[in-house]
Amino acid sequence: MKTLVYGAVAALTLLSTGCTGTFQLMQSVHRWHRNFESRWTDEICYLVACILPIYAAAYTVDTIFLNSVEFWLGSNPISMQTAEATITRLDANTALVQSKATGATYTLRRNADGSFVMTDAEGHAVTAEIQGSLLSMNAGGETRTVLL
């Protein structure tokens, strides 16, 4: 039994190469509970994630498995599926969003009631929704998500 425990510890030590990695799973759990509109819902989800050891499990899986895979293969199996964009604030209620992948430019405006209106370069309305740090845009049936 003692040999089995020492063998398991040695195997885990070899798999955990000391690479800190990007901790994509931990970031996913964190983004999940931070994307609620209400700060009370956010707090309750955070406490549930701590009490049910969701954070501890995500950290353990990230540290032992995913970050080791990222070290040896060069990419994390859980990668963020977001499009990169440059966001330039023009004034207090207006921002320019430019997709790095397509080069498309959008104007995002905040209305007095707190809603947002997004238009493309030609001035056509684009459906946009902001949830926490994620901006989702729908133009012509194609949806893109950008991490703000």
Side-chain angles (χ1 to χ4, degrees):
M1 181 65 174
K2 198 177 204 181
T3 307
L4 181 64
V5 170
Y6 286 135
V9 168
L12 287 175
T13 302
L14 290 174
L15 288 174
S16 306
T17 59
C19 166
T20 57
T22 56
F23 289 92
Q24 291 292 328
L25 184 58
M26 281 289 293
Q27 290 181 26
S28 296
V29 172
H30 181 71
R31 274 193 308 275
W32 167 76
H33 93 74
R34 293 293 299 174
N35 279 330
F36 291 102
E37 294 288 327
S38 166
R39 66 185 183 131
W40 293 104
T41 306
D42 173 51
E43 181 66 16
I44 290 168
C45 288
Y46 171 72
L47 291 174
V48 167
C50 289
I51 292 169
L52 291 180
I54 295 170
Y55 268 110
Y59 182 77
T60 302
V61 170
D62 253 344
T63 302
I64 294 173
F65 179 69
L66 296 175
N67 288 338
S68 298
V69 169
E70 182 177 1
F71 176 79
W72 291 107
L73 299 180
S75 65
N76 196 304
I78 299 177
S79 60
M80 294 170 47
Q81 300 297 319
T82 59
E84 292 188 20
T86 303
I87 299 175
T88 308
R89 179 170 275 194
L90 301 177
D91 59 39
N93 294 316
T94 309
L96 197 62
V97 180
Q98 183 174 17
S99 169
K100 290 183 181 178
T102 64
T105 303
Y106 304 94
T107 304
L108 180 65
R109 288 188 182 87
R110 180 179 16 207
N111 296 327
D113 64 357
S115 65
F116 290 88
V117 174
M118 179 171 267
T119 55
D120 60 12
E122 291 81 34
H124 301 110
V126 176
T127 305
E129 180 181 355
I130 295 179
Q131 292 182 341
S133 60
L134 296 177
L135 167 64
S136 297
M137 301 179 292
N138 187 338
E142 183 179 345
T143 301
R144 295 197 176 186
T145 303
V146 180
L147 183 62
L148 300 175

